[in-house]
Structures are given as structure tokens and as C-alpha cells.
Amino acid sequence: MNELIFFVNKVLISGTIIGCIYALGAIGVTLVFGILRFANFSHADMMTVGAYIAFIFASLMPGAGALIGLPTGFVVLPLAIICLAAFAIVVDRLFYRPLRERKVRPVMLLVASLGVTLMLHGLVRLFAGTSPRSFFQDEKKDVFRFDVPFELASRDIVISEPQVLLIITSIVCIFALHWFLTHTKLGKAMRAMSDNADLALVSGINTEKIVRATWIIAGSLAAVAGTLLSLDVVLKPDLSFNLLLPIFAAAIVGGIGRPYGAIAGGLLVGFSETLAIFNWSILLRPSAEFLPEWIDIPARMAFVPTEYKIIVPFVILIAVLIWRPTGIFKGQVL
Amino acid sequence: MNIDQYRREILLFSLVGLAIVAIVAFFGQAYTLRMLAEAACYAILALGLTLQWGYAGLFNAGGMGFVAIGGFITMVVAFPVNDAFWGSEGAKALGFFLIEVAVIVLAVVGLTQIHRIGIRGKLKAVCVMVGLAAAFLFFNNELAPVAKLIETESGFIGGLGLPVLLGWILGGLAAAFVAYWIGKACLGLRADYLAIATLGIAEIIKAILKNADWLTRGTLTVSPLPWPVPTPNDIGFVAARSAYLALTAIMVAVIFVLLQRAYRAPWGRMMRAIRDNEVSAAAMGKDINLRRLQIFVLGSGLIGFGGAALISFARIFDPSGFTPLKHTFLVWVMVLVGGAGNNLGAIFGAVAVYIIWLMGEPVALLLFESVRELGSLWFDWEAPADLMTRALQARVFFVGLTITLALRFVPRGLIPERLNKIS
């Protein structure tokens, strides 16, 4: 029984957490890819910047969280969202729009996004240093333990407060986005533009407005994902550079321009990762007494050693590109 | 070709020359030679990248991975033989392991041919996937004890003690081999997908080299790597570095001439046609994916070769020392600033950007030192203790800024591609 609880803690909960983060990131990437037609390499660094903005707000008003009973980093999240959405628009004005107006090939925008990535990288390191920081310096991180009502289970199912908040916020974000895309004029225009840009232009959709909305959504989701991730683990400057590949893998698995696909892709990549690095011999160990003696269960039986975790999203990415470049939800192949 | 462009090229190159003279005066000969030798290695990287980006419009974001492969192969080929390993049980275990791997590879190749006995379509795909997964698991399980045995008995497997130049060439070939498989998967799609895939493979290669202690000593690093020319220990810094610089400069010259010829040849014209208008090139009967694969493999091979030269020069193989910034994006800046599609531009960019990159270090330190002085003088500002490391990290910002500014204001680079207009 304890082994099963270990499985729940290590795979179900961690997989959902990391899957939500990937999904939030992948939605931003897939929207930008679908509407502006380039792979935005700076998205992961936008997440880091968002987390640092939240950190600044949190340290400006310590104790704000204690009033409501939630972590301060979570309470200041709306402020961080506003700042990062505005920041995303400024970045677009400065670096992407001039290129768009010159009607360059979309891949030039990708090069520009690499430049932006490096700039954000440098800014974060310059102003915040390289040492990791924690949102929970002065506060206590609440941890919920659920006792499992079985006799054999002596361990608890453990989930921390930031993790609960992360899952709830992700679900709220996803439903809000769904409502926006299906029920508002702007959202419908965005979907139209993502499906067929020329047709959308001919039917009189204001491109710049759509682009602005795209950046606002991408920036907001990046702020949410970055802040919640750093609430769960720690805040460090290279927090999100390792996230870039899984996020792209999730977006492509789900199909470019398909926000729902991105959610499915994010969860798929997240669970594949946790399942691949999970030590399966823990689950097999109780069965040892039923097995003949000559079968030894090795101490470590993971598909992929933890150090090589990054191989998992890469393999998923390559497999999808070879067999189904449209992704599971039939997105575009640009 | 107009006179203006020649004048511009002469001006730019004389500026670089002046900078080099000034650096000799300030920092001495040995430092300048080191800088130039490294810049020559970077020029090979930039030529490889300009081949991919400038000739064919392929976006390779994984320069670091190919550099790492080149450096690793050179280390294995050229590092002196580790007798402790060859006499140990580990060598035998590794031999058995390699035989097992060969058998697995044959089995997997056999599995991909099962359509010949009537298993086709989805069923075949499932069979191949299951086979690959089983092979991977088997590989992992068998490797772990062998690796552990080698690490406890003799540290790592050591090198083969062969000539360094052979290592460089094999390093280039290994990089080309990896590029072939990446290219096969991604080149049918848009450039963005290739960028994502190369970014991923670079990180994977780094992770493997960093953690496979039995092969690379991991974080313990391997040094000193041998040189193809006499080392500073034998003939002193200035002479040894001059010899190294001469060797790499000759290589740059040879590669430059060959690439120039390829550019002017029908092959280069075809590549530019594919880059500029894929559809009409396809309509003329050109096999676009095959040609792209060709140029991607060739360019990555060059990057692997240049990376091997770069790592050899540093004399230390340190897997953690491979960073996207130094080995991928710096090369991108060189190509974009120099002028994509122009080989002379790539060489100019490599030398000029590398000089600026190195000089950026003392300049950044000086700048931040004065900021700290003034801040504490005027505002009683207490600077954070790690200000100087931050100052060095902040150079990333300027690399990024240069990329975006170059795209916006000099989209074709300082020495643009020469277009022959037929009037």
C-alpha cells in the first residue's frame, strides 16, 4: 500500500504539476506560433521574468498574503500578470513589429526572439544575481497531508499549498481562455487568424489588435506559469531555460494553433517525464515474495536516469515530427 | 560588384587590423595570439553556420552540441592511452558490451525490415516502437554495471593516442552523422522545427557528456589535451600559439576557398534558388529535402571540426564548459553581423565579434567598478557582493541586443551577400 501512495505522490501529483506548467507555457507558444507564425524562443524567459516581477511585488508588500491566508507570491499574481502583459507588448513594439512591418520571412522573427531571450537572460542575472531565492523566506509553506483509510498504508498523500493553487489556477485559466476564444468577438477573430491568416485579413480583421491580444494572453499565462512554478520549487535565473524544449514538444504534440491540444500535450509530456524517471522497482518490490528466488529486482529500474530527463520530451517531439507533424489535434504544419 | 562594397570591406578589415595592433600594444603578444587562434576556430564555426543559414536558410540552434561532439571525439582519439583501463576487467566488460550493442543494432535494423515478411502499416510501426524501447532499456541496464566497473577500476577509458588532426576530422564526421539523423526527421518541415530539434539535441549531448563519467570524467574534466603542433611547454607561449594560429588560419583559408567555389558553382546557385523560392525550385525538379539535408550535414560537420579545434586549443575538455551562449549564440552574432551568405563576412564577423566579446570583459568590469564607486559616493548605495560576476553575466544582454539590432538596422550584415545582377 505504501508503495502505491509513493506512486501517487511521485507520479500522479508531480506529473499533474509539471504537466500544468507545460500546458500553460505551451498555450502561449502555440498561440504565438499560430498567429504570428514563429516559434517564440523567449517564452520560457518571459516566465522567469514574470516570476521575478512577482517576487519584487511580494517583497514590497510582505504580509499581504497573511491577511487572506494565501502565500504572498500568489496574492500579488494579478499585478505580475498586468506587468508582464504590458512588458510583452513593449517587447513586441521594440523588436518584432519593425520586422513584421518590413514583411520579413517569419524565421527572422524567430532569430529576433532568440535575441530577446538572451537579453532577458542578461537582465535577470544583472538585477537579481544568480543565486536561487525563495518566496517562502518569511512565510510557512503549508503542506496538506491526507491520511489514506487503509490499514496497510502508514504514509500520507502529500500535496503542498502552492501545488493546490497551481492546479486550481491552471484550470481557471484554461476555462477562461476557452470562454474567451469561443464567446468573444476578439477570441473568434484570433481563431480565424490562426486558421487562415489571408482569409482573416480579407474579412476585415484588424491584425494589430489581434497581435496585441495574443501577446497579452501569452504574457499573462507566462506570468502565471512562472510564478506558480517558482512558488512550488525555487526562483532561479535558469528556472525556465530547461522548460523550453518540453514546452515546444507539448505545443507540437497538441498541434500548432490548438490551445486545447497544447493542454493535452502539456499533460502528456509532463506525465511521460515523471513516468520515465520513476523508479519502478518500488512498485515491484512487494511482489518479490511471490517470485521465484532467481529473479532479483534491481534497486533502480527507471526508463531514463534522472540526469537524462530532457531526452523524454525530445523523443516525443521527434516521434511526432516523423509520424504526425500536425500533432494529435490536427493543427497546422507551417 | 561595385567599388563601394570593396571600399567598405577594406575599411572594415583595416579597422579590425587596427584593433589587433592596439591589443598587441596593451595586452602583449601571447594574449593577442591566443585571441586570434580562438577567433580562427570561431571562423570555422561561423563558416559552417553561414553555409546553413546563408546558403540554405536553415536555422541551426544547436551549435553547442556539434562543438561538444567535435571536442569529445578529439579527446577520445588524441588523448594518451590509459594503460590502467586497457589492462583491467573493465576493458573486457566494455568489449562484451560493444558486441551486445552491435547485436541489438542488427536486431533493430532487422525489425525495420519486417514489411518484407508481410507485417506492414500500423502493426509494423508498433513493432518497431516496442523493439526500440526494449533495445533502449537493455542498453541502459547493461551499460550501468560496465560504467561503474570502469569508474572504480581505472577512472575513465582514456584516449587512443592517435594524431590530433585525425581526431578533428573524425569529430567533424561524428557531428555530420548526428546532423544527418536530425535533418532526416525535421528538414521536411519549416525552419522553426529544425531550430527546436537542434536546440534539444545540443542539450542532450551536453547532458550525456556531463554524466557519462566513464567516458569523459564528467565534471572532473580531462586535461591537458594534445595539440597538433608543439605545445607551450616545449617551445614557449608565443611560438606555440603562433604555430597553432598558422595551422588554423590555413584551414580557414582552405575552407573559405572551397566554399567560395561551391557558392559560385551550379550547386551554390541551386541552393540559393531553394532558399529564395522553394516552390519554383521544386518545380524545376530539384529535390529540396535532399539538398537541404546535404547542406545541413556539411555545415554541421564543419561546426564539429571547428569545435574540435577550439576545444583542443583550450587544452581542457570540460563538459560543463559548453554553453549555448559561447558556442551557439556567439556564432550566430558573428554570422548575422558579418553578413549571412557571404563567407568573407563570416570570417570578418568571427574575428571582430570575438575581439569585442573578449574586450567586453575588462570593459564591463571597469564600468561596473565605476558604477559602484559613484553609487556609494553619491547615494550611499551598497552594491551587492557578487556585482562583478553579475557584470560578466550581463554580457549576455549585449549579445542579445546585437542580434536584434543587427536584424533591424543591418539585416544583411556589415559585409552583405554579393548579388550578381544581370542587366
Side-chain angles (χ1 to χ4, degrees):
Chain A
M1 240 3 243
N2 278 342
E3 289 78 13
L4 212 59
I5 291 171
F6 188 76
F7 181 79
V8 169
N9 280 338
K10 281 281 161 190
V11 174
L12 286 187
I13 293 180
S14 321
T16 317
I17 299 294
I18 200 71
C20 284
I21 296 286
Y22 291 165
L24 289 175
I27 295 172
V29 164
T30 213
L31 282 176
V32 172
F33 209 154
I35 288 170
L36 292 152
R37 318 238 158 227
F38 74 97
N40 181 12
F41 273 66
S42 65
H43 197 79
D45 275 277
M46 288 297 272
M47 285 164 66
T48 320
V49 171
Y52 272 96
I53 293 176
F55 186 79
I56 293 170
F57 279 121
S59 41
L60 282 182
M61 36 184 129
L67 294 175
I68 320 176
L70 291 169
T72 313
F74 184 76
V75 174
V76 296
L77 190 56
L79 295 174
I81 290 175
I82 294 168
C83 285
L84 200 68
F87 184 68
I89 291 178
V90 171
V91 168
D92 178 63
R93 283 278 158 87
L94 285 178
F95 301 112
Y96 301 129
R97 198 164 79 173
L99 293 179
R100 258 202 322 273
E101 280 167 355
R102 239 182 28 225
K103 299 221 183 314
V104 296
R105 287 178 297 153
V107 70
M108 289 295 180
L109 290 169
L110 177 117
V111 183
S113 82
L114 267 176
V116 172
T117 310
L118 297 178
M119 286 162 69
L120 297 181
H121 229 71
L123 282 182
V124 167
R125 274 145 210 263
L126 179 61
F127 288 110
T130 46
S131 47
R133 287 156 199 275
S134 169
F135 274 99
F136 293 95
Q137 223 113 50
D138 312 316
E139 295 178 37
K140 214 174 107 272
K141 201 188 241 179
D142 287 333
V143 175
F144 305 118
R145 291 173 187 281
F146 296 101
D147 199 13
V148 185
F150 283 109
E151 224 164 274
L152 287 166
S154 55
R155 295 206 196 177
D156 302 332
I157 291 177
V158 182
I159 186 165
S160 71
E161 193 183 4
Q163 292 177 333
V164 178
L165 290 173
L166 197 161
I167 294 172
I168 295 172
T169 317
S170 309
I171 293 170
V172 169
C173 283
I174 286 163
F175 274 106
L177 185 73
H178 173 79
W179 182 83
F180 172 77
L181 286 178
T182 47
H183 285 77
T184 63
K185 211 174 163 191
L186 192 58
K188 285 179 193 165
M190 276 177 72
R191 285 194 299 153
M193 180 125 169
S194 168
D195 279 342
N196 190 333
D198 294 330
L199 205 60
L201 264 181
V202 177
S203 59
I205 288 174
N206 181 350
T207 324
E208 277 307 308
K209 205 168 145 195
I210 305 277
V211 169
R212 217 159 37 226
T214 310
W215 282 117
I216 290 177
I217 295 175
S220 316
L221 291 176
V224 172
T227 311
L228 291 175
L229 179 63
S230 49
L231 276 171
D232 182 29
V233 283
V234 285
L235 182 60
K236 46 182 185 186
D238 49 357
L239 174 80
S240 50
F241 212 57
N242 303 324
L243 291 175
L244 204 52
L245 190 66
I247 286 177
F248 275 130
I252 291 172
V253 168
I256 295 301
R258 294 273 176 277
Y260 313 118
I263 297 160
L267 290 172
L268 178 83
V269 174
F271 274 110
S272 313
E273 254 182 23
T274 41
L275 284 174
I277 60 171
F278 182 70
N279 185 2
W280 288 93
S281 69
I282 289 176
L283 277 189
L284 292 179
R285 226 170 271 153
S287 63
E289 40 193 290
F290 308 111
L291 290 175
E293 268 184 23
W294 49 272
I295 295 182
D296 257 351
I297 295 177
R300 276 208 60 82
M301 265 178 60
F303 286 104
V304 180
T306 319
E307 313 83 273
Y308 300 137
K309 197 166 77 173
I310 192 168
I311 289 179
V312 179
F314 185 75
V315 168
I316 295 176
L317 176 75
I318 292 291
V320 170
L321 287 186
I322 291 174
W323 280 301
R324 203 180 162 101
T326 47
I328 31 182
F329 282 75
K330 285 253 174 200
Q332 302 144 321
V333 184
L334 297 169
Chain B
M1 284 177 220
N2 47 30
I3 302 292
D4 268 3
Q5 194 157 9
Y6 280 124
R7 212 178 270 162
R8 191 187 166 113
E9 281 168 21
I10 292 169
L11 181 73
L12 286 169
F13 273 99
S14 22
L15 277 180
V16 169
L18 274 181
I20 293 172
V21 171
I23 291 168
V24 174
F26 274 105
F27 295 88
Q29 274 181 341
Y31 182 85
T32 317
L33 284 168
R34 182 198 130 198
M35 185 184 78
L36 289 178
E38 282 170 351
C41 300
Y42 269 105
I44 302 178
L45 302 186
L47 284 171
L49 195 65
T50 207
L51 186 65
Q52 295 176 338
W53 173 245
Y55 283 30
L58 301 176
F59 195 102
N60 178 358
M64 177 185 82
F66 299 115
V67 168
I69 294 179
F72 165 65
I73 297 287
T74 307
M75 189 271 282
V76 170
V77 170
F79 199 71
V81 176
N82 182 0
D83 291 320
F85 164 72
W86 291 102
S88 71
E89 286 296 306
K92 278 183 212 158
L94 187 64
F96 277 120
F97 174 70
L98 289 180
I99 293 170
E100 280 173 352
V101 168
V103 172
I104 299 176
V105 168
L106 277 180
V108 171
V109 169
L111 201 60
T112 58
Q113 298 297 321
I114 52 172
H115 57 271
R116 289 168 196 268
I117 55 165
I119 302 174
R120 290 162 199 283
K122 285 229 168 95
L123 190 62
K124 183 194 160 190
V126 170
C127 286
V128 172
M129 292 260 267
V130 171
L132 278 178
F136 178 75
L137 282 183
F138 186 73
F139 178 85
N140 258 358
N141 268 337
E142 291 296 299
L143 179 62
V146 177
K148 203 161 184 192
L149 185 66
I150 295 175
E151 277 162 30
T152 48
E153 272 183 355
S154 47
F156 81 125
I157 61 169
L160 299 171
L162 296 171
V164 180
L165 282 177
L166 182 70
W168 292 5
I169 292 166
L170 289 179
L173 288 178
F177 179 77
V178 173
Y180 175 80
W181 292 104
I182 300 286
K184 264 216 122 34
C186 309
L187 281 177
L189 303 159
R190 231 181 64 166
D192 302 62
Y193 294 92
L194 183 71
I196 298 166
T198 44
L199 187 85
I201 194 80
E203 288 298 327
I204 289 176
I205 290 167
K206 184 178 170 183
I208 291 175
L209 292 183
K210 214 162 130 183
N211 292 303
D213 282 15
W214 62 280
L215 210 54
T216 64
R217 295 208 338 159
T219 44
L220 291 174
T221 73
V222 181
S223 69
L225 297 182
W227 274 14
V229 295
T231 58
N233 298 348
D234 304 331
I235 55 172
F237 274 111
V238 175
R241 284 175 180 174
S242 309
Y244 203 100
L245 174 62
L247 180 70
T248 42
I250 290 170
M251 283 171 180
V252 171
V254 170
I255 294 169
F256 173 76
V257 170
L258 291 178
L259 287 183
Q260 261 334 76
R261 288 190 59 126
Y263 184 83
R264 297 216 185 94
W267 183 81
R269 215 156 50 223
M270 172 181 65
M271 287 302 178
R272 294 198 296 283
I274 292 176
R275 173 193 69 188
D276 293 336
N277 195 333
E278 206 181 308
V279 179
S280 55
M284 302 292 283
K286 306 297 177 203
D287 187 343
I288 292 181
N289 289 345
L290 179 76
R291 294 301 170 184
R292 280 192 175 150
L293 186 61
Q294 209 174 38
I295 212 160
F296 183 64
V297 167
L298 193 61
S300 301
L302 269 182
I303 296 179
F305 181 79
L310 187 67
I311 301 305
S312 292
F313 183 79
R315 304 211 69 189
I316 180 166
F317 179 81
D318 175 14
S320 329
F322 297 113
T323 55
L325 179 67
K326 261 175 78 180
H327 298 114
T328 303
F329 300 124
L330 198 59
V331 188
W332 266 101
V333 175
M334 290 165 179
V335 169
L336 289 174
V337 169
N342 186 329
N343 296 316
L344 203 61
I347 295 175
F348 164 78
V351 179
V353 170
Y354 197 65
I355 291 176
I356 296 171
W357 169 254
L358 278 189
M359 289 303 113
E361 195 174 312
V363 170
L365 289 180
L366 199 71
L367 201 71
F368 277 82
E369 192 56 52
S370 43
V371 166
R372 170 155 61 185
E373 288 291 313
L374 288 180
S376 61
L377 211 63
W378 292 346
F379 307 108
D380 282 340
W381 175 58
E382 199 178 325
D386 59 347
L387 189 71
M388 288 305 133
T389 47
R390 287 190 194 185
L392 294 183
Q393 300 268 9
R395 282 191 298 172
V396 188
F397 177 79
F398 290 99
V399 173
L401 190 68
T402 319
I403 291 183
T404 49
L405 291 183
L407 279 182
R408 188 159 163 190
F409 297 108
V410 275
R412 294 171 59 226
L414 289 176
I415 303 185
E417 187 181 358
R418 289 208 183 115
L419 300 171
N420 297 327
K421 288 212 175 71
I422 296 163
S423 50

